[in-house]
Amino acid sequence: MPRVFALLALLAFAHAGAAQGTKRDYERANSVGQWTAGKVTATKVAPNWTPDGRQFWYQNAKKEFVLVDMVKGTREVVAEDKLPKDAKPTPPPKKKRFDAADEDGDTFVRLAQPPRRGAESPDGKWATFLKDSNVWLRDTKTKEETPLSTDGKPGDSYGTVFWAPDSQKLIAIKTKAGGDRKVTLVESSPRDQLQPKTSTLNYLKPGDPIPLSKPHLFDVAAKKEVATSDELFPNPWDTGFEHWAPDSKRFYFTYNQRGHTVMRLLAIDAESGKVTAVVNEECKTFFDYANKLFAQYLDDTNEAVWMSERDGWNHLYLIDLATGKARNITKGEWVVRGVERVDVKNREVWFRALGVHPDQDPYHVHFCRIKLDGTGLVKLTDGDGTHTVEYSPDRKHLIDTYSRVDLPPVVELRRTADGKKVCDLEKADAAELLKTGWRYPERFVAKGRDGTTDIHGYIVRPSNFDPTKKYPVIEHIYAGPHDHHVRKGFSPAPYEQRMAELGFIVVKIDGMGTNWRSKAFHDVCWKNLGDSGFPDRILWIKAAAEKYKEMDLSKGVGIFGGSAGGQSSTRAVLAFGDFYTVAVSDCGCHDNRMDKIWWNELWMSWPVGPHYAEQSNVTQAHKLKGKLLLVVGELDRNVDPASTLQVANALIRADKDFELLVVPGGGHGIAESPYGSRRRMDFFVRNLMGVEPRSR
């Protein structure tokens, strides 16, 4: 009998060790950041540069002092007293008024020459001010005041002024007010009182009237407006990149038409008021103005650098401002990700590119420079990974750090003259991390819906992965068209690792309709956010499961996401319920008519058409298959929380079973809170694994 009991105990232990969704799994999942921390070394270099541009030094992971001679191409460990005394760290970048940040946190110059704007004229003789919604002139010497405009009124008033360099003309922007839609939020459980509180926020939605801003030209000496026709800018979503020519003969600005199918660079003649289109771009889908609008004026040569997808890929063009003639600066089946700087003196542009190395992942960020005539392309980075760089003070060298999800950082010194590597600096060591059982996410590529286009993603497995076992599959989805979302750089604690530790295989995929591939790839999202790339995602997951038998699709696939990912994850169990069977949707923008105007009109277009309703999770709620948990914070100021509750209402009317978690006091992304995260984990363990969660 003792032997029998011993055998039963051994079997019980083995079963417990193979179980999924256990308390131990939850503990490991909730502490991923702790048990992976500090286990990867030599991930970066913090240089101290010498003033002569010859050397720099840094401390490595062993706290040794490393001296690098950039001219000789040498790297050596030296004693501290051998370090150059005059070396200094790289100063923090200066803030520029017209910088913007992309999704990676990188900055790029949107406009190199801020336009002259403000009250005082360049010659100091005049000052402008606003009075009774109109623009007035004040003689700075006599103090005499004269109205320049008389047609301004509340709700249709003048504002920003742009003076011509010769002080003879000015442009004043007149703005007609848009709609005043507000979203009202109810805070059910405020901390400082018993009774609920309400608050409102300004929140325009698709189809609402928007502010209309248009430039008006004024002759200062004549003290009157010079008539201009708005025929070429009748319905602006936005105007920008304002710039006076240095000879004061023309005023330039960009015009983005509402609906985003027309983008123009316009010029107003300062004498006649005639408006001409220097650049006129019209497309059948949309211009991605949020990411791909760039104009820099080159005053000395009467040119401009312009960004466009006119040939099907995002590239830079050199525009002759006198004739409008354009010629390629960059060209090819790859894209410009962002402009770093335009070097006017040397007539070249430094930029970030994706896909410029055809043998690598097309989403890898690389750094390049090229002459404005389109010759002399220099690829400053080369390693197979996504790159960040730090330039030497004289910009003759750069420290290049690159990595992949399956490659810890590698740091090199390279020359900017030809992009050649000077020497290796550091290679990160992940040995201690791998000892924990942690595994690199696996990059995987499969063909998309057209049978030819590569769809990229990765697979995350638990740290106690057993290749002889079967694991349910969950997709973490975010299909927002503003970017791509499959991470490319190394991280010891990828976001998907937490869910994987419960005993799942978690995947992340960029389907068609996401950004930074060809224009055709991106256009799939146009008037079609409900697509979310699902035809590509499903093919990708099936291809991965065919290769990796541990991926168990027998009970369907789980899916979760927040915001746009919340919209998509619910869409999955409405439109593709035979494949996706369990979904958790946080703060979803479930009906594009209910969400913020800029996001939805950019991708779903304007005016609001029947396609908005056709792709709404509200109108499609009756098609629900499988299990769905909706999560929303009552104080979500990003996506109207009513959007989630309207889905819930439609599900109730359709007599569908689902779960709803409304978090008092919660904001956007409340599913990332400890409670929301635990409820999400439990939902998948219970409904995809088929076991009762042991989270507590």
Side-chain angles (χ1 to χ4, degrees):
M1 289 295 292
R3 293 181 63 185
V4 173
F5 286 132
L7 179 59
L8 290 173
L10 181 61
L11 289 172
F13 177 79
H15 177 73
Q20 297 165 316
T22 68
K23 184 176 182 180
R24 180 175 294 182
D25 293 329
Y26 274 89
E27 290 173 348
R28 194 172 58 254
N30 289 323
S31 61
V32 167
Q34 286 73 49
W35 58 263
T36 60
K39 291 186 170 60
V40 181
T41 59
T43 61
K44 60 183 179 180
V45 166
N48 296 270
W49 310 93
T50 59
D52 60 9
R54 294 184 58 90
Q55 296 177 313
F56 69 88
W57 65 266
Y58 65 94
Q59 274 191 291
N60 63 18
K62 298 177 182 179
K63 302 301 181 183
E64 298 170 325
F65 294 97
V66 179
L67 180 63
V68 179
D69 190 303
M70 293 181 282
V71 177
K72 296 178 180 179
T74 59
R75 174 194 181 277
E76 60 178 330
V77 176
V78 300
E80 185 174 6
D81 61 3
K82 299 296 184 181
L83 297 176
K85 304 302 182 184
D86 55 353
K88 295 181 180 180
T90 306
K94 295 180 179 179
K95 297 285 185 179
K96 297 185 179 72
R97 289 173 58 196
F98 287 82
D99 277 5
D102 66 15
E103 288 299 310
D104 300 320
D106 297 325
T107 58
F108 59 98
V109 179
R110 293 184 66 93
L111 184 59
Q113 320 95 307
R116 184 173 183 88
R117 59 197 295 176
E120 191 168 296
S121 62
D123 62 9
K125 294 180 179 180
W126 302 99
T128 59
F129 63 98
L130 299 180
K131 180 179 178 181
D132 299 328
S133 302
N134 283 290
V135 59
W136 286 58
L137 273 181
R138 178 186 295 117
D139 186 309
T140 56
K141 186 175 182 179
T142 67
K143 309 303 181 184
E144 179 184 359
E145 297 178 351
T146 308
L148 270 183
S149 69
T150 58
D151 59 334
K153 57 186 177 182
D156 191 11
S157 61
Y158 287 89
T160 305
V161 170
F162 299 93
W163 278 98
D166 65 4
S167 301
Q168 299 302 304
K169 303 289 194 308
L170 64 83
I171 291 284
I173 305 298
K174 187 184 183 189
T175 301
K176 183 178 180 180
D180 61 352
R181 184 189 296 276
K182 298 182 185 301
V183 167
T184 300
L185 303 176
V186 178
E187 185 177 6
S188 63
S189 311
R191 294 183 178 183
D192 59 346
Q193 66 183 48
L194 175 63
Q195 299 301 321
K197 291 180 178 179
T198 61
S199 59
T200 61
L201 61 150
N202 296 324
Y203 197 103
L204 294 184
K205 296 183 178 183
D208 285 345
I210 62 172
L212 297 177
S213 296
K214 298 182 180 181
H216 290 250
L217 175 64
F218 292 91
D219 185 315
V220 175
K223 296 183 176 61
K224 67 177 184 179
E225 182 173 0
V226 179
T228 59
S229 169
D230 65 358
E231 181 180 1
L232 291 177
F233 54 101
N235 188 22
W237 168 265
D238 184 42
T239 58
F241 290 87
E242 300 90 349
H243 183 71
W244 274 102
D247 61 7
S248 300
K249 291 183 178 180
R250 296 176 112 192
F251 178 80
Y252 299 99
F253 66 101
T254 56
Y255 167 69
N256 175 10
Q257 185 161 290
R258 189 172 188 182
H260 313 299
T261 60
V262 176
M263 183 70 70
R264 294 181 177 127
L265 176 60
L266 298 175
I268 300 176
D269 184 277
E271 291 300 320
S272 67
K274 182 180 179 180
V275 183
T276 56
V278 179
V279 177
N280 180 50
E281 302 219 27
E282 300 182 16
C283 80
K284 296 179 180 179
T285 56
F286 63 90
F287 288 93
D288 180 12
Y289 75 91
N291 296 284
K292 298 167 185 170
L293 176 56
F294 179 87
Q296 179 161 336
Y297 304 97
L298 310 179
D299 285 339
D300 291 343
T301 53
N302 201 30
E303 297 168 309
V305 177
W306 180 256
M307 186 178 285
S308 172
E309 292 184 286
R310 62 179 66 184
D311 71 353
W313 302 84
N314 193 49
H315 282 297
L316 298 175
Y317 294 81
L318 188 65
I319 307 295
D320 184 323
L321 291 175
T323 65
K325 183 179 179 181
R327 62 183 179 186
N328 283 88
I329 299 174
T330 61
K331 189 174 185 178
E333 293 189 355
W334 51 274
V335 301
V336 172
R337 182 66 172 86
V339 175
E340 295 286 303
R341 70 192 294 242
V342 176
D343 185 337
V344 178
K345 179 180 179 181
N346 293 308
R347 289 188 63 77
E348 60 185 13
V349 58
W350 302 58
F351 62 96
R352 288 171 287 134
L354 305 183
V356 73
H357 289 283
D359 58 333
Q360 295 187 25
D361 184 318
Y363 298 97
H364 284 169
V365 175
H366 282 277
F367 288 74
C368 307
R369 63 180 177 83
I370 192 171
K371 294 184 181 300
L372 293 181
D373 64 5
T375 65
L377 174 65
V378 177
K379 300 173 184 178
L380 300 174
T381 56
D382 179 68
D384 187 5
T386 196
H387 295 247
T388 60
V389 303
E390 180 174 342
Y391 293 100
S392 62
D394 60 9
R395 218 173 175 85
K396 292 182 178 179
H397 293 84
L398 60 87
I399 293 175
D400 173 24
T401 304
Y402 69 92
S403 70
R404 300 188 305 265
V405 293
D406 56 358
L407 176 71
V410 176
V411 190
E412 301 173 341
L413 177 66
R414 306 183 74 88
R415 287 194 301 262
T416 59
D418 53 14
K420 299 297 184 182
K421 182 169 71 172
V422 176
C423 65
D424 294 314
L425 297 177
E426 299 290 334
K427 289 186 178 181
D429 183 356
E432 292 301 313
L433 178 62
L434 295 173
K435 288 178 182 178
T436 67
W438 184 93
R439 305 170 65 89
Y440 291 110
E442 180 175 350
R443 297 184 294 151
F444 186 76
V445 181
K447 297 301 180 183
R449 69 188 78 179
D450 59 3
T452 58
T453 302
D454 284 339
I455 302 298
H456 291 254
Y458 58 62
I459 301 167
V460 178
R461 298 173 173 86
S463 60
N464 59 358
F465 174 71
D466 181 348
T468 67
K469 288 177 55 178
K470 292 281 191 178
Y471 293 83
V473 176
I474 296 175
E475 179 180 355
H476 172 214
I477 189 169
Y478 193 90
H482 62 277
D483 206 347
H484 70 85
H485 306 287
V486 174
R487 184 173 48 83
K488 298 301 168 182
F490 176 80
S491 171
Y495 176 83
E496 294 79 15
Q497 193 70 45
R498 290 186 66 198
M499 191 68 75
E501 290 302 319
L502 297 180
F504 297 107
I505 287 177
V506 185
V507 300
K508 188 74 179 287
I509 308 159
D510 276 319
M512 290 186 184
T514 50
N515 209 345
W516 299 115
R517 298 282 291 276
S518 68
K519 177 64 172 162
F521 190 102
H522 200 190
D523 276 350
V524 171
C525 76
W526 185 66
K527 294 187 176 182
N528 193 32
L529 287 183
D531 179 277
S532 294
F534 282 123
D536 313 303
R537 297 169 187 278
I538 292 170
L539 288 171
W540 189 99
I541 293 171
K542 287 180 176 179
E546 181 65 26
K547 181 177 181 180
Y548 300 109
K549 302 305 180 184
E550 66 268 20
M551 295 177 67
D552 183 6
L553 309 186
S554 62
K555 295 181 180 179
V557 172
I559 188 168
F560 74 97
S563 197
Q567 177 185 26
S568 296
S569 52
T570 294
R571 177 75 172 180
V573 288
L574 301 183
F576 304 94
D578 292 330
F579 185 80
Y580 295 99
T581 57
V582 184
V584 180
S585 302
D586 178 31
C587 56
C589 38
H590 295 283
D591 188 317
N592 298 105
R593 297 168 297 181
M594 287 289 292
D595 192 31
K596 65 194 77 66
I597 189 171
W598 78 266
W599 165 273
N600 296 277
E601 286 196 8
L602 177 51
W603 319 117
M604 293 290 280
S605 195
W606 174 88
V608 174
H611 59 288
Y612 274 80
E614 290 164 1
Q615 296 175 56
S616 165
N617 289 341
V618 177
T619 63
Q620 302 297 311
H622 62 283
K623 297 180 180 179
L624 174 66
K625 294 182 180 180
K627 304 293 184 179
L628 172 63
L629 168 61
L630 298 171
V631 184
V632 67
E634 66 177 5
L635 297 182
D636 191 332
R637 294 177 177 273
N638 186 322
V639 174
D640 187 345
S643 188
T644 295
L645 295 176
Q646 288 179 358
V647 175
N649 181 53
L651 290 167
I652 291 168
R653 289 177 177 272
D655 197 26
K656 295 291 184 178
D657 292 335
F658 69 101
E659 294 189 28
L660 173 65
L661 173 60
V662 180
V663 181
H668 196 61
I670 193 60
E672 304 307 320
S673 67
Y675 181 79
S677 179
R678 196 266 296 172
R679 287 290 302 274
R680 181 171 60 198
M681 290 177 168
D682 287 355
F683 195 77
F684 283 119
V685 169
R686 183 178 293 116
N687 293 295
L688 202 55
M689 286 182 180
V691 301
E692 190 58 27
R694 297 175 177 84
S695 55
R696 290 173 292 177

